[in-house]
């Protein structure tokens, strides 16, 4: 059964040249009862300009004028509140026509669902009215054609980025992709150009203004006058311009003769916040040419010009170490990064394991310490590791579970405080419960337990409970547990373990 009333169309008109409007879009615009379009204050809608020759006499036009476009408003909800109210009002106006049985075509420059305002009408109206989306040629396709610049080839990755991203984030993403399109320039252009330079992607990046329109122009990003950049502009970063070795792929470019093996640094980044990064580590990261590591940790390293990033998954530690050692053998300055401290369930051990191969004899490995997760959780909780303690990983990926249980019993019988890394994962849900059972064979149910989750990050939480009350179902990979000794106690909400042991 069809929805009542008229039909809603989101029609993409392409990037600006009326000859790039599809046949279907032209037909629907010409047959519409109502044509709606967005436009800025004191400006003419570019989508309406593209459709000038398509709208027939007698068609009702609904102008949806933005209340604000720069982010400055006195609305009590700020810019987001002003825009939410605006889109709600637009939806109500369009719904009035639909309820009266009139078909409404909402014009969209480029494609309706690619950074387009039609999306917000679609969110509010598509559930109540028959809706159809007509795709349009996106601006970046016209820009690539105007500059005669191939975007990506074969298995290259293309990333579309808004220029409104923070500069450091934009630089990181540009360094990590092959081809890229950067939209929404305008006043953000200086920061965007800086991000391109930091990522080593400025050479070859092409600025395109008003793609496919009569005023179209393009030139190297490095040559653009930042004061002249309009909203209708974007940057094309061809995949062919990406520099450096790709993730674990052999380079086809001949390597220059090595001047001798370089020192390989293994670096602990701490548990999360930049404030917990040591000055020694910051200085080292500013000097290396390559950063190698698990993707979330590589992403924490600020991008800068000349830095090449090599990210990988979570279970290829030795392969990752060999890749870094191979670079160091060639004389490249490399840092392997870990969260927390690299020597505590981090990459340091994997690097030394790989470095046992005689081919790496000339590479000196140096480990730079970082704040460990157990230190961070303990500090948040008080001083639960203020006396003798043990540190274990509950993962059985690299050791059998029987060994884990044997060590748990030994720690419990010795009455040591126990810090537990890797307590659970998607595939390991029962081991926290089994750990609790094993510990309760030797410890009182009232034993203090600290559960730290995402400590140092915005989602941080800290719970002080007991071994008997610990709920294994609430524990995941983001948690670190500290199970107290007999002497561990809680004073005014703070867990701590005395330095002394009573005889």
């Amino acid at each position: 059964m069809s929805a009542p009333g008229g039909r809603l169309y989101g029609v993409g008109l392409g990037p600006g040249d009326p000859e790039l409007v599809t046949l279907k879009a032209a037909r629907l615009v010409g047959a519409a009862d109502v044509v709606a379009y967005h436009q800025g204050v004191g400006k003419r809608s570019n989508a309406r300009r593209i459709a000038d020759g398509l709208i027939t006499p007698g068609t009702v036009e609904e102008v949806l004028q933005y209340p604000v476009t720069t982010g400055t408003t006195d609305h009590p909800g700020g810019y987001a509140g002003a825009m939410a109210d605006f889109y709600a009002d637009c939806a109500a106006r369009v719904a009035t026509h639909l309820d009266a049985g009139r078909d409404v075509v909402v014009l969209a420059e480029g494609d309706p669902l690619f950074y387009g305002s039609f999306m917000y009408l679609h969110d509010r109206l598509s559930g109540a009215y028959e809706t159809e989306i007509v795709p349009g040629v996106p601006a970046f396709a016209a820009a690539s054609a105007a500059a005669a610049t191939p975007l990506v080839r074969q298995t290259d990755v293309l990333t579309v980025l808004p220029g409104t991203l923070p500069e450091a984030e934009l630089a990181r993403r540009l360094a990590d992709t092959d081809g890229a399109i950067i939209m929404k320039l305008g006043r953000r252009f200086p920061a965007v150009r800086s991000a391109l330079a930091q990522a080593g992607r400025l050479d070859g990046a092409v600025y395109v203004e008003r793609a496919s329109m009569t005023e179209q122009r393009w030139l190297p990003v490095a040559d653009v006058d930042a004061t002249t950049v309009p909203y209708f502009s974007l940057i094309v970063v061809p995949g062919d311009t990406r520099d450096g070795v790709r993730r674990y792929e052999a380079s086809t470019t001949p390597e220059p003769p090595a001047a001798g093996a370089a020192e390989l640094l293994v670096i602990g980044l701490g548990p999360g916040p930049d404030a917990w990064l040591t000055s020694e580590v910051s200085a080292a990261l500013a000097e290396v040419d390559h950063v190698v590591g698990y993707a979330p940790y590589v992403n924490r390293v600020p991008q800068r010009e000349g830095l090449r990033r090599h990210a990988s998954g979570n279970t290829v530690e030795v392969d990752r170490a060999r890749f870094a050692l191979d670079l160091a053998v060639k004389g490249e300055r490399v840092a392997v990064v870990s969260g927390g401290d690299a020597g505590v369930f981090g990459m340091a051990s994997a690097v030394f394991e790989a470095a046992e191969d005689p081919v790496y004899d000339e590479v000196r490995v140096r480990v730079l310490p970082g704040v460990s997760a157990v230190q961070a959780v303990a500090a948040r909780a008080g001083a639960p590791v203020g006396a003798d303690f043990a540190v274990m990983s509950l993962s059985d990926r690299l050791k059998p579970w029987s060994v884990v249980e044997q060590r748990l019993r030994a720690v419990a019988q010795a009455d040591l405080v126990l810090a537990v890394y890797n307590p659970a994962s998607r595939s390991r849900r029962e081991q926290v419960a089994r750990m609790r059972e094993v510990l309760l064979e030797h410890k009182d149910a009232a034993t203090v337990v600290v559960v730290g989750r995402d400590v140092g990050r915005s989602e941080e939480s800290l719970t002080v409970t007991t071994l008997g009350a610990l709920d294994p179902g609430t524990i995941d990979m983001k948690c670190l547990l500290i199970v107290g000794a007999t002497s561990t106690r809680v004073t005014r909400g703070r867990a701590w373990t005395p330095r002394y042991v009573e005889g």
Side-chain angles (χ1 to χ4, degrees):
M1 181 177 179
S2 61
R7 190 179 181 93
L8 175 65
Y9 296 89
V11 176
L13 298 177
D17 183 350
E19 292 187 346
L20 293 179
V21 175
T22 65
L23 294 174
K24 184 170 186 177
R27 174 176 60 80
L28 289 172
V29 173
D33 300 316
V34 179
V35 168
Y37 47 87
H38 296 81
Q39 71 179 25
V41 178
K43 299 178 181 179
R44 189 181 184 216
S45 165
N46 199 50
R48 177 62 179 83
R49 180 193 61 77
I50 298 170
D52 274 350
L54 303 175
I55 299 174
T56 57
T59 302
V60 176
E61 296 192 32
E62 192 73 56
V63 181
L64 308 174
Q65 183 167 289
Y66 297 109
V68 61
T69 56
T70 63
T72 301
T73 176
D74 58 2
H75 190 283
Y79 177 80
M83 294 307 294
D85 286 353
F86 166 66
Y87 287 124
D89 177 67
C90 291
R93 290 164 62 186
V94 170
T96 298
H97 293 293
L98 296 171
D99 289 339
R102 293 186 285 269
D103 290 343
V104 179
V105 169
V106 180
L107 307 179
E109 185 186 7
D111 184 89
L113 299 182
F114 187 76
Y115 290 124
S117 292
F118 171 75
M119 292 185 291
Y120 303 102
L121 295 178
H122 182 268
D123 292 343
R124 291 166 169 81
L125 299 174
S126 60
Y129 303 94
E130 289 189 37
T131 304
E132 182 176 349
I133 311 297
V134 180
V137 177
F140 72 80
S144 181
T149 303
L151 271 175
V152 282
R153 304 175 190 267
Q154 298 179 345
T155 58
D156 282 351
V157 173
L158 174 66
T159 304
V160 179
L161 300 165
T164 50
L165 283 175
E167 184 177 328
E169 174 73 1
L170 185 58
R172 178 186 70 77
R173 291 177 179 267
L174 286 166
D176 290 345
T177 191
D178 298 308
I181 297 293
I182 310 176
M183 314 282 292
K184 302 183 179 181
L185 301 179
R187 293 177 298 172
R188 288 286 301 167
F189 181 81
V192 172
R193 181 157 57 188
S194 174
L196 282 163
Q198 293 169 43
R201 306 304 300 272
L202 185 57
D203 290 344
V206 180
Y207 167 86
V208 183
E209 181 178 301
R210 297 184 171 88
S212 84
M213 303 181 198
T214 56
E215 308 92 337
Q216 168 185 290
R217 70 178 186 125
W218 67 272
L219 64 159
V221 171
D223 297 340
V224 175
D225 178 357
T227 64
T228 66
V229 175
Y231 180 81
F232 290 113
S233 59
L234 53 80
I235 291 171
V236 178
V237 185
D240 291 347
T241 65
R242 187 177 187 186
D243 190 23
V245 182
R246 297 193 183 182
R247 295 172 179 84
Y248 306 109
E249 297 177 5
S251 174
T252 57
T253 303
E255 294 289 342
E263 179 181 62
L264 176 62
L265 300 179
V266 187
I267 288 176
L269 299 176
D274 292 343
W276 290 352
L277 198 70
T278 69
S279 58
E280 180 186 37
V281 165
S282 295
L285 291 174
E287 295 296 326
V288 297
D289 300 315
H290 300 266
V291 172
V292 178
Y294 178 39
Y297 303 143
V298 171
N299 290 346
R300 288 173 51 192
V301 178
Q303 183 58 42
R304 55 175 169 76
E305 188 170 3
L307 180 65
R308 300 175 185 177
R309 306 152 68 88
H310 310 276
S312 60
N314 193 28
T315 58
V316 290
E317 292 90 349
V318 176
D319 290 341
R320 184 185 300 146
R322 291 194 186 104
F323 177 81
L325 286 161
D326 286 340
L327 289 172
V329 163
K330 297 171 185 175
E332 299 285 349
R333 298 180 298 178
V334 188
V336 177
V337 295
S338 280
D341 182 274
V344 182
F345 303 118
M347 278 298 299
S349 182
V351 169
F352 283 113
E353 178 182 341
E356 284 191 322
D357 190 324
V359 74
Y360 303 124
D361 282 350
E362 293 185 15
V363 179
R364 176 174 178 256
V365 177
R366 182 158 60 101
V367 181
L368 305 186
V371 176
S372 67
V374 63
Q375 289 174 288
V377 173
R380 287 288 198 255
V385 295
D388 297 340
F389 69 98
V391 179
M392 285 185 59
S393 168
L394 217 57
S395 172
D396 59 354
R397 185 171 70 86
L398 299 176
K399 58 183 181 288
W401 179 253
S402 59
V403 172
V404 176
E405 285 202 12
Q406 179 185 10
R407 292 175 178 176
L408 286 171
R409 288 191 171 90
V411 169
Q413 289 170 349
D415 195 24
L416 298 174
V417 176
L418 173 63
V420 180
Y421 280 69
N422 307 317
S425 68
R426 291 187 182 91
S427 60
R428 294 187 296 108
R429 301 305 307 166
E430 75 289 344
Q431 292 173 350
V432 176
R434 182 57 187 151
M435 176 201 74
R436 178 174 172 273
E437 293 172 1
V438 170
L439 294 179
L440 282 171
E441 293 173 7
H442 306 278
K443 288 179 171 288
D444 192 278
T447 300
V448 174
V449 174
V450 175
V451 180
R453 174 182 280 104
D454 278 328
V455 168
R457 299 181 175 89
S458 58
E459 302 84 7
E460 173 182 317
S461 67
L462 190 82
T463 302
V464 179
T465 183
T466 63
L467 190 58
L470 177 66
D471 180 1
T474 65
I475 307 302
D476 56 32
M477 198 67 176
K478 295 182 178 182
C479 296
L480 184 139
L481 310 182
I482 298 178
V483 181
T486 301
S487 60
T488 304
R489 62 196 70 175
V490 178
T491 303
R492 292 188 292 277
R494 307 287 280 172
W496 64 286
T497 302
R499 297 170 295 160
Y500 54 84
V501 177
E502 296 178 352

